[in-house]
Amino acid sequence: AQKVTQAQTEISVVEKEDVTLDCVYETRDTTYYLFWYKQPPSGELVFLIRRNSFDEQNEISGRYSWNFQKSTSSFNFTITASQVVDSAVYFCALSEAGTASKLTFGTGTRLQVTL
Amino acid sequence: DAGVIQSPRHEVTEMGQEVTLRCKPISGHDYLFWYRQTMMRGLELLIYFNNNVPIDDSGMPEDRFSAKMPNASFSTLKIQPSEPRDSAVYFCASSLWTGGGTGELFFGEGSRLTVL
């Protein structure tokens, strides 16, 4: 069975600090997809990134970057120079091939960025 | 383009009452998902449809829950009778299969249900 673990329940940082959110996953499949979603205080879930298991290249999008390491089954998310608007709950999720977007979510990490 | 639209945004009802949550997926999307979010259990997949056909309802907690998708632009999640432990935020999401693997899920804003 697939499983996603986000061990960090809550993180607090001061604005402009860098912060890394950890995600560890378990799956028996060789083909799978990993996602990060953001849930701001308003409650909606916002897609951030999708990565398939064959693409281990790290990705950078502005202040956001993702580090995918199959050897450790991790897909960590780093925010550089955090801002107050980054305050949200961040979810990591996994989908196995053939399950067409059937995502298993981690429990989420609440990030609080203060001035 | 309109996103996934859910209604009602908030519902407060009394135990034993029937609750119907509604969802309009993004036009052209062929998958629709119902998720439930609670503090205790996080985000749980309840059921999903492909081309209006239910594919996997293993996450539906019990017979009190039912979901339908009569056409490509509408789905309902019904709870009858409702119980206080059903209080949660219910999300509808849709996606499009592009042949390139699992696609991005687009979520609605959620329906917050409180059962007294």
Side-chain angles (χ1 to χ4, degrees), chain A residues 18-33:
Chain A
D18 299 347
V19 58
T20 294
L21 310 181
D22 297 334
C23 174
V24 174
Y25 62 91
E26 295 175 28
T27 177
R28 295 178 189 169
D29 277 15
T30 55
T31 302
Y32 51 89
Y33 301 85

Side-chain angles (χ1 to χ4, degrees), chain A residues 33 37 39 50 101-103, chain B residues 35 37 56 95 101-102 105:
Chain A
Y33 301 85
Y37 278 82
Q39 187 174 40
R50 179 188 83 155
S101 306
K102 180 182 173 182
L103 301 186
Chain B
Y35 279 84
Q37 185 177 33
D56 183 351
S95 71
T102 301
L105 249 63

Side-chain angles (χ1 to χ4, degrees), chain A residues 4-13 18-24 36 75-78 88-92 106-111:
Chain A
V4 176
T5 301
Q6 294 181 256
Q8 304 151 307
T9 305
E10 191 162 344
I11 301 175
S12 291
V13 299
D18 299 347
V19 58
T20 294
L21 310 181
D22 297 334
C23 174
V24 174
W36 276 94
F75 186 44
N76 296 337
F77 173 31
T78 297
V89 180
Y90 291 87
F91 292 94
C92 181
T107 51
T109 297
R110 181 178 299 278
L111 174 65

